[in-house]
Amino acid sequence: MSHAYDTFETLCQQNAVLRETVSLNSGIQLAAWYNKHDTITVKSNHHTLSLYVADGYESYQKTPGGWKNGGGPDRFCLMPKESESTWDIRDDLSFVHLYCTDEHLRDVGEKIWDKRPLSLTLDERIFGSDPKITALYRQFLLGCDWQQHANQLTLSTASTLLLTHLLQNYSNVQWKLPVVTGGLSPFVLRNVLAFIEENLGQPLTLAELAAQAALSEYHFARMFRQSTGLAPHQYVMQRRMDKAKALVQHTTTPLTDIALACGFNSASHFSNRFRSATGMTPTQLRAASA
C-alpha cells in the first residue's frame, strides 16, 4: 500500500471488523467497517471522511460537555488531519471511511481550479448531514464490487467528486467551480475513444483518460459528457458490454477469456454485469445465438 493511514491501522487493532478495503491508484484508500462495543481514540496524519451506512444511533463522541451522540444512517463525520477524537461505539455501526492526505486534496484543487491552495484546512464535522455526500457514496461506493478492476474508474471518479465537494463546502478554500462549456474537439474525442477501445481489458482510470486529452480530470469528465451524453465510467462500461456481447454471440472464445478481455477479473462479476445489461447471462445468450 502506497500510504499507511493512522486511522486504518488504529481500527485494525480494535474490535472493528474490516469488511472490505481498496487502495485507488492515486493512493486514496477506501475501507468498509463494522464495529460494536468499542472505545477508540484516533489522531491522524491524514483526513478521514466517515460515512454511516447502517445503524450508528449509539455512537458517542467525547466532548468537553460529556458524551454526545447524533449518528445514524447517512450521517457523516469529517475528521481533518491532526484532529484527535475519542469514540464510544455502544451498539452496531456499519460505516465506510475514505482516507486521503493533504497532498491529495491539493491535487484535486489544482486539477479543478488550475491553482494550488496555499493553506488548506478542512472543517471538522461530526454527525453532519449532506444529501450530496449521501448520493455520491450510496450510488458509487456501495453499489459496486471494490475488488473489480472494471470498477476502478467508478471508485476513483466517486472519490474525486467527494473531495471536490469537501473542498468547496467544508474547507477554507471556498472557490466557485469553474464553468465548463462545450465538449472535446472532434480530433481529441476520436483519440480518447480509440484509446478506450484499445484498453477495454485494462482497469482504466479517469486520470489516464484525461491525460489522453491533456486536460484536468474535472474538465475532461465534464467535456466528455458534453460530447457523448455519458459520464466516462458509464461510456466505458457500455463499450465493455458491447464488446462482450459481440464476442459471446459471434465467436467461440471461452467466457473467462471474454471477461478478461473486457476488463473483468472475475467470471461471476462479469456474468452478473452482463445479465443486468442484456437480460441474459453470457451462457444463455451464446446458446440462443447458436
Side-chain angles (χ1 to χ4, degrees):
M1 210 175 68
S2 53
H3 194 285
Y5 289 104
D6 292 348
T7 299
F8 181 83
E9 304 297 333
T10 303
L11 285 175
C12 285
Q13 290 155 21
Q14 302 278 135
N15 293 344
V17 179
L18 180 63
R19 287 185 166 156
E20 196 167 14
T21 182
V22 62
S23 243
L24 303 176
N25 27 22
S26 56
I28 290 169
Q29 187 184 356
L30 295 168
W33 298 96
Y34 167 80
N35 206 352
K36 186 180 184 174
H37 304 321
D38 204 358
T39 309
I40 307 166
T41 297
V42 282
K43 183 173 181 357
S44 305
N45 58 353
H46 58 85
H47 307 294
T48 304
L49 175 62
S50 175
L51 309 157
Y52 283 31
V53 179
D55 307 311
Y57 302 107
E58 293 294 306
S59 303
Y60 291 80
Q61 189 202 22
K62 193 177 198 171
T63 71
W67 293 95
K68 291 265 174 17
N69 73 337
D74 295 338
R75 294 285 168 174
F76 76 94
C77 299
L78 179 56
M79 292 161 284
K81 184 175 125 158
E82 307 304 344
S83 65
E84 183 174 280
S85 50
T86 300
W87 302 84
D88 187 4
I89 313 298
R90 300 178 193 177
D91 208 341
D92 298 323
L93 168 63
S94 298
F95 56 106
V96 168
H97 271 176
L98 183 154
Y99 307 118
C100 74
T101 63
D102 241 13
E103 199 54 28
H104 288 128
L105 273 181
R106 283 171 197 283
D107 283 349
V108 168
E110 191 170 20
K111 283 174 181 152
I112 292 167
W113 289 281
D114 291 324
K115 51 182 179 177
R116 223 169 158 71
L118 288 175
S119 70
L120 190 59
T121 51
L122 284 180
D123 312 330
E124 183 174 85
R125 284 295 161 106
I126 303 298
F127 307 133
S129 174
D130 184 327
K132 179 87 193 270
I133 290 179
T134 300
L136 279 173
Y137 83 86
R138 291 236 170 240
Q139 185 189 342
F140 287 108
L141 300 185
L142 300 187
C144 79
D145 175 351
W146 292 2
Q147 305 315 321
Q148 276 310 313
H149 290 162
N151 291 333
Q152 269 277 336
L153 188 53
T154 304
L155 293 172
S156 60
T157 301
S159 51
T160 300
L161 289 172
L162 281 166
L163 294 187
T164 304
H165 187 73
L166 294 182
L167 274 174
Q168 264 195 289
N169 298 279
Y170 300 99
S171 81
N172 61 328
V173 185
Q174 305 274 315
W175 292 337
K176 289 258 182 293
L177 279 181
V179 179
V180 179
T181 54
L184 301 167
S185 74
F187 171 75
V188 169
L189 183 63
R190 268 201 310 278
N191 280 350
V192 170
L193 298 185
F195 178 80
I196 290 173
E197 290 306 311
E198 283 158 29
N199 292 284
L200 288 174
Q202 304 305 315
L204 287 164
T205 66
L206 195 57
E208 285 171 327
L209 298 183
Q212 292 301 311
L215 287 166
S216 73
E217 292 173 37
Y218 178 83
H219 286 83
F220 170 77
R222 275 157 182 72
M223 291 164 82
F224 185 91
R225 191 193 272 274
Q226 291 282 100
S227 296
T228 63
L230 294 170
H233 69 274
Q234 293 169 325
Y235 177 86
V236 169
M237 191 52 78
Q238 190 173 300
R239 292 304 305 139
R240 285 182 164 141
M241 286 296 123
D242 291 346
K243 179 177 179 176
K245 211 159 123 187
L247 289 171
V248 167
Q249 283 181 299
H250 306 301
T251 73
T252 54
T253 310
L255 297 180
T256 327
D257 295 352
I258 294 178
L260 287 171
C262 298
F264 294 92
N265 50 345
S266 118
S268 63
H269 180 70
F270 166 63
S271 182
N272 292 340
R273 258 296 160 71
F274 193 90
R275 191 178 61 231
S276 62
T278 65
M280 293 187 197
T281 65
T283 313
Q284 290 166 335
L285 181 63
R286 184 161 269 182
S289 311

